[in-house]
Amino acid sequence: MARDQDTRHRLVTAFQRKIVNPVTRRLPGQMIIETTGRVSGQPRRTPVGGRRIGDTFWLVSEFGLKSQYVRNIQVSPDVRVRIRGRWYHGVAHLVPEDDARARLRRLPLLNSTAVRAFGDELLTIRVDLA
């Protein structure tokens, strides 16, 4: 079972990294989270689906602590988020006690469907926008 999950994780992330992310990062309406690479110190931009509610941006990582951007947040929680073409600074918080499946029901449908379909370690992330 764990081997199947690891294989699925590798396949999905390779597909996202090589095909989906380079295309979607260029779409003007795509939400992006920019983290600082934990090894390189360079900005890393990852397309995400989420929703801004007041001064908070919510999203759910499909692979939890295995996601590279989540691992970057653990080292440096200062992030930027692009929402509707505008960049916002914020501080990201991992919220493992949140019900990620319930959270997905309140986030954009297309992304939430993909996260539920491919994800196996859902993790809620809250970004407090400055």
Side-chain angles (χ1 to χ4, degrees):
M1 182 74 145
R3 177 182 253 172
D4 290 343
Q5 287 179 337
D6 289 342
T7 300
R8 181 171 56 165
H9 174 254
R10 281 195 308 276
L11 290 172
V12 170
T13 55
F15 178 73
Q16 289 173 332
R17 192 176 328 115
K18 295 179 187 294
I19 297 170
V20 176
N21 290 359
V23 172
T24 57
R25 269 195 296 263
R26 290 177 174 82
L27 298 174
Q30 176 65 52
M31 288 176 261
I32 305 279
I33 188 163
E34 182 182 83
T35 60
T36 301
R38 64 192 176 284
V39 174
S40 69
Q42 298 299 308
R44 300 293 182 213
R45 292 183 175 178
T46 305
V48 295
R51 174 162 285 139
R52 181 178 181 174
I53 301 171
D55 289 333
T56 304
F57 181 75
W58 293 92
L59 67 144
V60 174
S61 168
E62 60 200 325
F63 295 115
L65 299 176
K66 291 190 288 186
S67 295
Q68 298 300 314
Y69 75 95
V70 173
R71 294 171 72 190
N72 289 342
I73 288 169
Q74 287 181 298
V75 173
S76 178
D78 293 326
V79 300
R80 291 192 326 149
V81 180
R82 186 178 79 182
I83 306 167
R84 294 188 179 118
R86 183 171 172 210
W87 286 99
Y88 298 86
H89 290 273
V91 178
H93 305 274
L94 307 183
V95 191
E97 65 275 6
D98 189 64
D99 182 346
R101 290 199 179 278
R103 177 74 53 196
L104 283 171
R105 288 192 287 275
R106 292 175 275 178
L107 299 180
L109 180 63
L110 182 60
N111 179 264
S112 295
T113 301
V115 168
R116 271 192 298 275
F118 297 112
D120 58 10
E121 293 185 27
L122 304 181
L123 175 65
T124 301
I125 300 168
R126 182 188 82 233
V127 179
D128 297 328
L129 303 173

